[in-house]
Amino acid sequence: MLWMTVYHKSIPWCRYADDGVTHCKTEAEAQALLVELRQRFAECGLEMHPEKTKIVYCKDSKRKDDYPDTKFKFLGYEFRRRTVRCYYKKQTYL
């Protein structure tokens, strides 16, 4: 999506066919980008899927706030918070 490269250089994003993910630093940035993307899609005669389009909070040990959406699926994979055990340090991470 050349438009993202031109107008939002600082926001990392990934696209595959008709699916995409952007990585915003704040919820406000994500909300503003969502409005702009909807407008851009409309200009191109397209619309976003209402059930698949959402802002997801990527929860981990440093991000502890509560949000309704903390996981998402992209290209058949589910991205979510999970526990990881480091065996050689004998520590568990979220």
Side-chain angles (χ1 to χ4, degrees), residues 10-67:
S10 65
I11 299 177
W13 59 278
C14 177
R15 180 184 75 92
Y16 184 80
D18 63 345
D19 290 330
V21 174
T22 62
H23 305 274
C24 298
K25 293 182 180 181
T26 66
E27 184 179 5
E29 182 181 51
Q31 293 286 359
L33 181 59
L34 183 57
V35 169
E36 288 186 55
L37 285 171
R38 283 196 172 118
Q39 181 180 0
R40 178 62 179 153
F41 275 49
E43 290 170 2
C44 297
L46 302 169
E47 62 183 46
M48 294 183 181
H49 192 287
E51 294 173 17
K52 291 171 67 176
T53 303
K54 59 186 171 182
I55 295 173
V56 176
Y57 183 74
C58 295
K59 200 169 194 173
D60 65 13
S61 61
K62 295 178 185 175
R63 300 181 196 108
K64 299 177 188 254
D65 294 338
D66 287 320
Y67 283 86

Side-chain angles (χ1 to χ4, degrees), residues 16 19 21 52 72-79:
Y16 184 80
D19 290 330
V21 174
K52 291 171 67 176
F72 66 96
K73 287 189 178 182
F74 183 63
L75 302 179
Y77 293 95
E78 183 174 80
F79 293 85

